[in-house]
Amino acid sequence: MTAESEKVPVAAGRRTGAPDWLRRAATLNELWTFVILLALVVFFTVAAPGTFFTTYDITQIAVNAAIYLVLGVGMTFVIITAGIDLSIGSVLVLAAVAAGEYNIHHGGPASGWGTVAICVVIALAVGTAWGALQGVVVASGRVPPLIVTLGGLGAALGIAELATGGQDPAGASSTHLQNSLGFGKLLGIPWMVILAAVVTAVFGAVLAATRFGEHTLAIGSNPTAVRRAGIPVGRHLVKVYGLMGLLAGLGAVMWLASYGTTSIAGHSTDNLKVITAVVLGGTSLFGGRGSVLGTVIGVFIPAVLTTGLIVIGVQQYWQDVAVGVVLVVAVYVDQMRRRTRERA
């Protein structure tokens, strides 16, 4: 049976005979998430008048969220297929180490634009290759994504630590890269924010308006029917995990540009933050439903929450607790939505 002889199944919410009001409510995920974000902004603005939501705060929140937004776009595709990727922080570190080591041996901080370009290619290639490898194991090895990417988390970080002796190497980033992408602005907007916005727009369009996006949603909704329609599910999963790796590599470039170091020990909770943002944005952990727009809003909720807690003087440890609680609540709400759709 070919893809032409049978239509690709759509997301579960559109296949059921759910009432119109419920289908309309399902499309309001982004709106409800935005309301939560707005409520947080109002709360912290009232709690810390004159010190929160200033122009400086808005810029810093956007810059701090840029890398997580890029990672969140990739995670959105992965979770829509009913998968998960716990390795993104380690893959980012591995890609940063690979690019950083090349930069160290080809000029260090004083390296030219040619070296910068090669470092970018190295980071993207390492991330893509690692992600695609995990996709191959998920697709052909019949190993759950949770286990594959948990193993990938440890392996990628271990290789990075072996290459550097567990220490962040000096001179891992070019001054040119830091002064442009890291600290540069266009019309007052940081280049980091512009890059994240471009990535979001491009892959948001890919998910919403291309066959690749349609197949991603369909696989998360009903992989068996997708296979019967003649679509190579395994090959598509390799592409999805490769995309996640590619964006982790891009995140490595952005990190080097912003901080000038690989920060080997600084990415242990990246997966928690990114998964929290994606689920908050309405992407279902059970697959078949999600949007990049929702992820954009979801990314800014932890960013605003963390910044707001700092402004009102809450300790760092409580900030981590708050993000964890938000993730649990988001998953609980997702389960409630799923049960409601099934009953309808």
Side-chain angles (χ1 to χ4, degrees):
M1 185 176 294
T2 64
E4 289 76 19
S5 62
E6 182 175 327
K7 291 184 178 180
V8 176
V10 294
R14 286 178 284 171
R15 289 187 290 106
T16 63
D20 289 341
W21 68 268
L22 186 56
R23 286 199 297 269
R24 286 194 297 269
T27 65
L28 295 179
N29 288 325
E30 292 87 353
L31 177 59
W32 285 113
T33 309
F34 181 74
V35 169
I36 294 172
L37 175 61
L38 186 61
L40 284 174
V41 170
V42 171
F43 171 78
F44 287 120
T45 301
V46 173
T51 57
F52 181 78
F53 211 60
T54 62
T55 301
Y56 175 79
D57 282 335
I58 295 172
T59 301
Q60 287 303 114
I61 289 172
V63 171
N64 293 339
I67 295 176
Y68 296 113
L69 179 55
V70 168
L71 297 176
V73 170
M75 187 67 76
T76 301
F77 280 80
V78 171
I79 293 181
I80 284 175
T81 65
I84 199 76
D85 191 346
L86 300 179
S87 70
I88 54 172
S90 295
V91 176
L92 186 155
V93 168
L94 180 60
V97 166
E101 287 293 333
Y102 184 88
N103 190 78
I104 290 169
H105 294 92
H106 292 81
S111 59
W113 283 111
T115 299
V116 170
I118 295 174
C119 288
V120 171
V121 172
I122 289 173
L124 297 179
V126 168
T128 303
W130 194 274
L133 176 61
Q134 293 186 146
V136 169
V137 178
V138 170
S140 61
R142 305 294 182 181
V143 183
L146 178 70
I147 303 302
V148 172
T149 59
L150 183 60
L153 181 156
L157 184 59
I159 293 172
E161 290 175 333
L162 286 170
T164 61
Q167 302 296 320
D168 293 312
S173 181
S174 168
T175 302
H176 289 307
L177 180 63
Q178 289 191 272
N179 288 339
S180 55
L181 178 60
F183 309 126
K185 296 181 179 181
L186 177 64
L187 302 177
I189 304 174
W191 277 111
M192 291 279 289
V193 177
I194 294 173
L195 178 57
V198 169
V199 170
T200 301
V202 169
F203 288 103
V206 168
L207 181 60
T210 69
R211 182 167 295 182
F212 184 86
E214 181 183 0
H215 289 179
T216 301
L217 288 161
I219 288 171
S221 178
N222 193 334
T224 301
V226 172
R227 288 190 180 92
R228 290 175 180 171
I231 297 171
V233 173
R235 188 183 306 169
H236 190 87
L237 288 175
V238 173
K239 293 178 182 177
V240 168
Y241 281 89
L243 171 62
M244 179 71 262
L246 172 68
L247 295 179
L250 180 57
V253 174
M254 297 170 72
W255 189 272
L256 288 171
S258 294
Y259 302 101
T261 180
T262 53
S263 298
I264 293 175
H267 297 275
S268 59
T269 61
D270 283 2
N271 49 15
L272 172 64
K273 294 175 182 176
V274 173
I275 293 170
T276 299
V278 174
V279 175
L280 277 174
T283 298
S284 174
L285 283 172
F286 301 97
R289 178 170 58 84
S291 73
V292 171
L293 174 60
T295 296
V296 172
I297 302 171
V299 163
F300 280 97
I301 289 179
V304 169
L305 183 62
T306 300
T307 302
L309 291 175
I310 292 173
V311 169
I312 64 176
V314 176
Q315 291 183 341
Q316 172 69 40
Y317 308 112
W318 284 110
Q319 297 167 29
D320 295 336
V321 170
V323 172
V325 170
V326 167
L327 174 59
V328 173
V329 172
V331 173
Y332 177 78
V333 171
D334 180 48
Q335 288 182 321
M336 294 299 100
R337 289 172 176 168
R338 181 169 177 260
R339 291 170 185 170
T340 300
R341 288 196 304 272
E342 288 175 349
R343 286 197 298 268

